[in-house]
Amino acid sequence: MAKGPNDVIPVGLTTVQNCNHTFLTQFGDLNCYCYNNIMLMMQKIIFRKATSSFLQRRPHSRSIVSDATINITPFKLHRFDYGPSQENVTLTRDDALSFYRSMQRIRRLEGAASTLYKNKIIRGFCHLYSGQEAICVGLRAAMRDDDAIITAYRAHGWALMMGERPESILAELTGRVTGCSKGKGGSMHMYGTNFYGGNGIVGAQTPLGTGVAFALKYAGTDRVCFTLYGDGAANQGQLFEAFNMAALWQLPVVFVCENNGYGMGTSADRAAASTAYYTRGDYVPGIWADGMDVLAMREASRFAIDWCGSGKGPLVIEAATYRYHGHSMSDPGSSYRSREEIQQVRETRDPIINLKKRLVDTHFLPRMK
Amino acid sequence: MALLPAAAISLRLTPRVNPLRRKSSPRQQTLRNSSHFTYVPEAPPVPGETQRMNLFQSVTSALSNTLETDPTAIIFGEDVAFGGVFRCTVGLAAKYGKERVFNTPLCEQGIVGFGIGVAVAGSTAIAEIQFADYIYPAFDQVVNEASKYRYRSGGDFDCGRLTIRAPSGAVGHGALYHSQSPEAFFAHVPGVRTVVPRGPCQAKGLLLACIQDDNPCIFFEPKVLYRSAVEDVPVESYTLPLGKAEVLIEGRDVTLVGWGTQVQVLREVCQLAEERLGADCELIDLRTIAPWDVDTVCNSVSKTGRLIVAHEAPITGGHAGEISSTVQQHCFLNLEAPISRVCGWDTPFPHIHEPFYIPDKWRCFEAVRKLMNF
């Protein structure tokens, strides 16, 4: 495998040819040889590991099914008479496997980013999505191709789901011109088709998303704009300005609060007078959903697209989730919460493990001996 | 492409043998990982018992002195209770009480507005904005409330007991939203004092002066110096004069004006200029950005005839423009060369291009050379 710096590595990644210069010294001793090595490894980890032997086993035709009906954790409703389907929700095998692959890909991507950061190959601020994958996978499953989405800075998972390749994301994180924002945006500013980023300032994306929704409505479409924010941003004034405008003008905004329990180092209950974020829109109706359940997120989003896309105005989805890493790579994540808590969530609520259990319980895949 | 053996997928990210990599000396390693300057420790400005502190510890010391002596003083901001993201408030909540050092929700406009109210009602309010880049939601509160309270009430009320602290400036990898230097926006607001220290001793003295000052103050702490600037700092309370610049190095040929981290860069420029150009540079730390010390700077330029102002913020509309205008007004006939500004470029603070953006010592040195050869 070991190739010299002058060799082109034809891996379908951005190749670096005949490159002898050392990258900017400020960013460590990363040269092209090392870059190629890393890209090689990253591709392996993200693509190969993601589809592990678990999925590649050929199932016995007797013991697998092609779809199943599932009951999901009940939603909580605010100002709704009826909500998303929660009983007898259909999940096809193909969808389930696709969700699994996507979530695993995101988890691996974030793991790769974490390792690269610790080796000082990614610099700056890097906010990881591990633990919250079910939200972007579930929402994306329900989104139509022309629905818009805007989120905050924890956006790598979204970049992947909205069509960016892992190499392009990693290139952006390492500041390369082949990155999805030409190396100018970094971790917090990745964009894509109908994906308005990637925004660094907390809460600033919420009026932006409202404006995007206005444009979609003004153009006479039934498209909606998913506007994501966190429990920390839920206390920003501009969010309430956005709620008011969206409700006043009946805009197709789906506000999604990714409540992972902490705003940097402050727990939600120490920052908010009301942690029922799905009710914080007051006159904007809301739904609480289990953000660790990809199916719940899909159903909630389907409901939201139907509601907002048919001109009934905005709504709020609160996705109860958790982040395993700290707020960013500069934050160890353990000075304001216990390791036991993180471990407990990993063991009982992990979206990937729970989907895997579901895949087996519904006989989509055989139980491994 | 062959599959890598499983053992290789252990995320070994530095190749075992890298033919391009020469054995680097410890000095090279330091250079590679360090920022664009070297901090030179200074002697304590006042006598008394000292302790070795870095910049964030000197800030903690100043805040501790304040909470000790001023029973009305409170410190608030995002995540300050556990010590803050830069550890400036470590131990304060435990020592002085959770009701005096407490977290706010994530709402800068609310934080500053709340702080103005606290100050107007007679308590000492020390608000922390987590990064200066996030101060803009609070801009309205600063500009339209804090700076105008005394004026519009005819002196009946004022929020002089408010101090806002925010880490600012380039840190090597901060990119767009963790590197900004917004001092120029606030320099444009009469009624608010804007201060930037260059090191731990200065930070403690100037911060205590800001807290005790009868005007609302904004104190921008250069975050790259939090850990890298270490010196002996007096443990007791002391203040340094606000509105007064400090001449650090005396010279005859060219005046260099900067603040915060840039002073450390300009220090190296002075050395370079002496070695390579034989130019004798006078270095001034502005310290208080607004209202700034016109006399010290103009006296210096009258002597040298040449002026360079350097700052990290973008050049257009930056504070260097204000200094240049005033200096040319007072010292026109003394000038030997046009006033030079070496600043950040007119772009958002870049991610990967930071080394090209910041006014590092080579760009400043080039400016000195141009002025000497004018």
Side-chain angles (χ1 to χ4, degrees):
Chain A
M1 198 284 301
K3 288 184 180 268
N6 295 331
D7 290 337
V8 171
I9 299 182
V11 295
L13 303 171
T14 309
T15 56
V16 182
Q17 302 181 21
N18 197 23
C19 170
N20 274 338
H21 73 268
T22 304
F23 198 64
L24 295 171
T25 54
Q26 190 151 349
F27 290 81
D29 200 319
L30 180 67
N31 61 26
C32 312
Y33 177 83
C34 194
Y35 170 67
N36 283 339
N37 257 1
I38 290 160
M39 284 301 151
L40 206 57
M41 280 191 204
M42 290 304 128
Q43 192 199 42
K44 288 217 58 56
I45 288 154
I46 292 162
F47 289 100
R48 299 295 163 86
K49 276 270 189 185
T51 55
S52 63
S53 59
F54 167 66
L55 284 184
Q56 282 166 357
R57 276 169 73 111
R58 306 208 92 229
H60 264 286
S61 54
R62 275 182 303 161
S63 58
I64 59 116
V65 300
S66 62
D67 58 59
T69 54
I70 291 171
N71 295 342
I72 48 188
T73 312
F75 299 99
K76 291 187 234 180
L77 303 176
H78 168 70
R79 292 189 190 270
F80 273 119
D81 295 325
Y82 60 94
S85 321
Q86 59 196 37
E87 283 164 28
N88 298 325
V89 172
T90 306
L91 173 66
T92 67
R93 181 169 181 270
D94 288 343
D95 279 350
L97 292 181
S98 157
F99 294 163
Y100 184 86
R101 282 196 179 92
S102 297
M103 289 201 286
Q104 274 284 31
R105 257 194 191 183
I106 297 170
R107 184 68 62 89
R108 300 297 167 177
L109 178 69
E110 298 297 67
S114 168
T115 307
L116 285 170
Y117 193 94
K118 287 176 186 155
N119 282 273
K120 293 200 198 291
I121 293 165
I122 295 176
R123 304 296 305 284
F125 293 83
C126 190
H127 307 81
L128 300 178
Y129 207 57
S130 306
Q132 300 183 208
E133 300 89 354
I135 298 176
C136 68
V137 172
L139 258 59
R140 185 68 187 88
M143 277 166 70
R144 301 157 299 182
D145 283 337
D146 56 2
D147 285 323
I149 174 255
I150 188 169
T151 184
Y153 42 77
R154 207 175 294 282
H156 305 161
W158 275 107
L160 200 60
M161 294 311 295
M162 293 306 287
E164 291 300 325
R165 297 171 310 140
E167 309 93 291
S168 162
I169 294 172
L170 288 170
E172 182 61 36
L173 288 170
T174 51
R176 284 170 160 73
V177 72
T178 44
C180 48
S181 300
K182 303 186 176 58
K184 295 226 179 123
S187 165
M188 299 196 288
H189 309 291
M190 299 184 182
Y191 298 79
T193 312
N194 294 321
F195 173 37
Y196 292 86
N199 291 277
I201 300 297
V202 171
Q205 73 278 11
T206 52
L208 259 72
T210 307
V212 169
F214 181 93
L216 298 177
K217 180 175 179 180
Y218 191 80
T221 70
D222 69 344
R223 296 158 66 187
V224 308
C225 180
F226 284 84
T227 301
L228 280 77
Y229 58 97
D231 49 282
N235 301 315
Q236 274 274 319
Q238 51 194 325
L239 173 63
F240 295 89
E241 295 179 13
F243 282 155
N244 186 46
M245 286 192 282
L248 186 64
W249 298 324
Q250 298 273 78
L251 302 178
V253 196
V254 183
F255 291 102
V256 180
C257 177
E258 294 180 286
N259 177 12
N260 61 21
Y262 296 92
M264 217 326 286
T266 305
S267 65
D269 58 351
R270 288 190 295 121
S274 162
T275 53
Y277 297 102
Y278 68 109
T279 67
R280 295 277 293 273
D282 188 12
Y283 40 81
V284 178
I287 301 166
W288 177 96
D290 179 2
M292 304 299 253
D293 181 351
V294 63
L295 212 53
M297 294 314 305
R298 186 190 73 178
E299 290 310 307
S301 314
R302 270 188 185 157
F303 178 86
I305 290 171
D306 185 58
W307 181 272
C308 302
S310 57
K312 298 197 180 83
L315 59 74
V316 178
I317 298 175
E318 176 187 341
T321 183
Y322 197 84
R323 56 165 162 83
Y324 297 144
H325 292 270
H327 162 75
S328 70
M329 287 304 298
S330 318
D331 166 35
S334 50
S335 50
Y336 47 85
R337 55 184 187 173
S338 66
R339 291 188 199 280
E340 289 75 40
E341 179 188 300
I342 306 171
Q343 201 49 37
Q344 212 247 343
V345 176
R346 267 194 198 271
E347 281 164 10
T348 57
R349 291 174 61 201
D350 185 79
I352 297 175
I353 293 176
N354 285 349
L355 182 62
K356 181 167 152 179
K357 278 197 204 130
R358 210 171 243 165
L359 287 172
V360 171
D361 290 344
T362 52
H363 301 291
F364 283 168
L365 287 170
R367 198 172 300 278
M368 300 234 292
K369 295 283 185 292
Chain B
M1 185 185 55
L3 278 177
L4 281 177
I9 313 177
S10 58
L11 292 175
R12 184 187 182 82
L13 291 167
T14 47
R16 283 183 183 82
V17 174
N18 184 344
L20 285 191
R21 187 176 176 171
R22 292 159 302 173
K23 271 262 152 61
S24 61
S25 66
R27 182 169 176 275
Q28 268 184 312
Q29 202 59 46
T30 314
L31 279 179
R32 208 164 277 136
N33 296 328
S34 75
S35 41
H36 57 293
F37 63 93
T38 312
Y39 184 76
V40 175
E42 295 178 20
V46 298
E49 185 200 342
T50 64
Q51 197 182 334
R52 200 140 183 80
M53 296 185 208
N54 58 28
L55 194 115
F56 73 73
Q57 288 165 334
S58 71
V59 169
T60 316
S61 177
L63 295 175
S64 185
N65 290 146
T66 303
L67 290 170
E68 184 90 57
T69 52
D70 180 352
T72 72
I74 55 170
I75 299 174
F76 51 93
E78 293 155 22
D79 304 303
V80 298
F82 86 91
V85 292
F86 289 108
R87 310 181 65 173
C88 294
T89 49
V90 167
L92 296 179
K95 188 169 179 192
Y96 296 103
K98 288 198 281 225
E99 69 284 358
R100 293 185 74 189
V101 181
F102 56 92
N103 289 343
T104 58
L106 216 168
C107 47
E108 288 76 17
Q109 185 169 20
I111 290 168
V112 172
F114 169 90
I116 294 169
V118 167
V120 164
S123 285
T124 300
I126 304 167
E128 178 180 298
I129 299 291
Q130 196 158 89
F131 282 84
D133 316 53
Y134 310 154
I135 204 168
Y136 306 109
F139 196 65
D140 174 67
Q141 286 288 342
V142 173
V143 172
N144 280 328
E145 306 299 326
S147 71
K148 297 175 168 64
Y149 223 118
R150 177 181 277 127
Y151 179 96
R152 70 190 185 196
S153 67
D156 286 347
F157 288 100
D158 68 82
C159 57
R161 303 184 77 143
L162 172 67
T163 304
I164 301 168
R165 291 179 38 245
S168 76
V171 69
H173 50 261
L176 287 79
Y177 298 112
H178 297 83
S179 314
Q180 291 176 34
S181 303
E183 70 272 352
F185 293 110
F186 297 96
H188 191 49
V189 185
V192 156
R193 214 189 275 281
T194 307
V195 177
V196 185
R198 66 174 184 272
C201 285
Q202 291 290 313
K204 178 167 172 171
L206 290 169
L207 179 56
L208 283 165
C210 286
I211 292 168
Q212 292 165 23
D213 186 40
D214 208 17
N215 298 292
C217 295
I218 303 182
F219 190 74
F220 288 120
E221 300 160 1
K223 64 177 82 72
V224 72
L225 297 179
Y226 274 139
R227 287 178 190 268
S228 61
V230 187
E231 62 197 12
D232 294 315
V233 180
V235 296
E236 292 304 321
S237 179
Y238 66 96
T239 60
L240 293 170
L242 296 174
K244 287 288 300 164
E246 190 178 348
V247 179
L248 300 182
I249 300 171
E250 290 197 14
R252 289 180 326 267
D253 295 324
V254 57
T255 303
L256 305 175
V257 173
W259 47 89
T261 315
Q262 198 63 27
V263 174
Q264 312 304 333
V265 175
L266 292 174
R267 215 193 270 274
E268 291 182 31
V269 175
C270 288
Q271 224 175 322
L272 275 176
E274 186 164 339
E275 285 164 20
R276 301 192 188 197
L277 304 171
D280 195 22
C281 297
E282 179 145 303
L283 175 60
I284 298 181
D285 176 10
L286 202 63
R287 301 201 295 189
T288 301
I289 309 304
W292 61 284
D293 187 355
V294 178
D295 290 340
T296 302
V297 178
C298 287
N299 286 342
S300 172
V301 179
S302 300
K303 181 175 64 168
T304 63
R306 298 177 188 84
L307 173 63
I308 297 173
V309 187
H311 59 62
E312 287 172 10
I315 188 166
T316 300
H319 198 56
E322 155 65 25
I323 297 173
S324 304
S325 280
T326 308
V327 167
Q328 66 85 32
Q329 185 185 349
H330 294 291
C331 310
F332 185 74
L333 293 174
N334 297 69
L335 287 172
E336 296 290 333
I339 298 173
S340 179
R341 299 180 289 163
V342 186
C343 307
W345 306 114
D346 285 333
T347 77
F349 199 103
H351 170 227
I352 203 71
H353 300 100
E354 179 172 329
F356 303 112
Y357 170 91
I358 48 167
D360 63 13
K361 64 184 177 204
W362 300 114
R363 280 178 57 197
C364 297
F365 174 74
E366 182 59 25
V368 173
R369 197 157 65 86
K370 278 211 175 92
L371 289 196
M372 294 307 296
N373 295 339
F374 187 77

